[in-house]
Amino acid sequence: MSSAAATYDEAPALAVEDLVAGYGGVIALDRVSISAGTAAITAVLGANGAGKTTLLRAISGMIRPRRGRILLDGTDLAGRNPEQMVRAGIAHVPEGQAVIPELTVEENLRVGMMSWPRRGPGRSRADRGAALDEAFERFPPLAARRRKLAAALSGGERQMLVIARALLARPRVLLLDEPSLGLAPRVMAQVMDLVVGLSREQGITIVLVEQNARGALAIADHGVVLNLGRVVAAADAATLAADVALRHHYLGF
């Protein structure tokens, strides 16, 4: 099988070192170390219960690690809360298309700018308006529903909305948890194309958790496989996809 350490030609944008995290007396992550290259897509794969979602929750500050480091461009952020993580440059799109249904599409997007400083260069009302216009230009279906309640959106439109909202925080690292979950194949392909564009064209470092291992490895640069809270393999995506034993034991294809 593949080695449990992936190497990069340059220092990674995000590095997790010996991370231990869990819930109550349960250890969900046991000394997990991963690296995510700058402007690259790193797929985090594994069966249900492997620790994938817990990893993203720990990186984004939703749960506090018990030990280990979370390095963004060399700065250890472990122990910071979610708002501090967003301000540092890490945005998290949780599983489940978590829009605020009682708000309009535009109001949902404005939530993404709450982490912006209230004063200072580039933070005027005009700047916020320009940021919204940019979001609507990137996601035309949302522009057509700007004044509609988020509750009225389709599953694909909700997924676009939560990603667009996260991007308004201007992240350097974007954590995506099961972005294709529950979507029709055509919409799933659109979301995956969007993820590739964010990496290739916008230069955003992406950590992608996906149950669809085949689809994730098809667009990823690197991959990490978790099993019962531990890293069992990490390598470039093509190597993992070609590893028959790994696919059989952990990835299900």
Side-chain angles (χ1 to χ4, degrees), residues 161-183:
L161 180 55
V162 293
I163 294 175
R165 186 175 64 197
L167 292 175
L168 279 167
R170 298 290 191 256
R172 287 177 285 162
V173 175
L174 183 62
L175 311 176
L176 295 173
D177 194 354
E178 301 281 8
S180 69
L181 185 67
L183 301 182

Side-chain angles (χ1 to χ4, degrees), residues 4-232:
T7 58
Y8 299 94
D9 294 334
E10 58 184 33
L14 177 72
V16 173
E17 298 180 351
D18 292 323
L19 198 67
V20 176
Y23 309 92
V26 177
I27 299 296
L29 299 174
D30 186 7
R31 294 172 294 171
V32 167
S33 296
I34 73 165
S35 295
T38 302
I41 301 171
T42 299
V44 180
L45 310 170
N48 289 334
K52 305 184 300 295
T53 291
T54 301
L55 175 62
L56 296 196
R57 289 171 60 86
I59 294 172
S60 66
M62 295 179 69
I63 62 172
R64 189 180 183 91
R66 300 181 184 185
R67 58 168 286 188
R69 301 202 299 169
I70 300 168
L71 302 171
L72 179 63
D73 294 329
T75 299
D76 187 8
L77 304 179
R80 298 192 187 186
N81 63 39
E83 181 179 351
Q84 291 170 325
M85 288 297 196
V86 171
R87 291 186 183 278
I90 297 176
H92 182 193
V93 178
E95 176 187 342
Q97 304 161 5
V99 300
I100 306 173
E102 300 83 2
L103 299 183
T104 67
V105 168
E106 180 174 327
E107 289 167 341
N108 267 270
L109 290 176
R110 289 186 180 277
V111 171
M113 294 186 283
M114 291 180 64
S115 63
W116 289 20
R118 293 186 179 275
R119 296 180 177 82
R123 294 297 181 261
S124 68
R125 179 177 296 181
D127 293 318
R128 292 172 184 266
L132 282 175
D133 290 343
E134 180 182 337
F136 286 128
E137 183 176 350
R138 179 181 284 140
F139 299 94
L142 299 183
R145 292 158 178 77
R146 184 172 188 150
R147 309 295 182 193
K148 299 290 186 182
L149 291 179
L153 300 181
S154 69
E157 290 164 348
R158 289 186 178 209
Q159 193 62 68
M160 291 181 190
L161 180 55
V162 293
I163 294 175
R165 186 175 64 197
L167 292 175
L168 279 167
R170 298 290 191 256
R172 287 177 285 162
V173 175
L174 183 62
L175 311 176
L176 295 173
D177 194 354
E178 301 281 8
S180 69
L181 185 67
L183 301 182
R186 178 181 59 83
V187 180
M188 180 178 69
Q190 292 174 344
V191 170
M192 290 302 192
D193 287 344
L194 168 64
V195 172
V196 172
L198 292 174
S199 169
R200 306 292 186 264
E201 299 166 17
Q202 304 298 318
I204 298 174
T205 297
I206 293 174
V207 180
L208 171 66
V209 161
E210 260 296 336
Q211 196 67 36
N212 180 358
R214 187 192 301 271
L217 290 174
I219 67 168
D221 300 287
H222 307 281
V224 177
V225 181
L226 296 181
N227 184 55
L228 300 178
R230 293 189 175 187
V231 176
V232 294

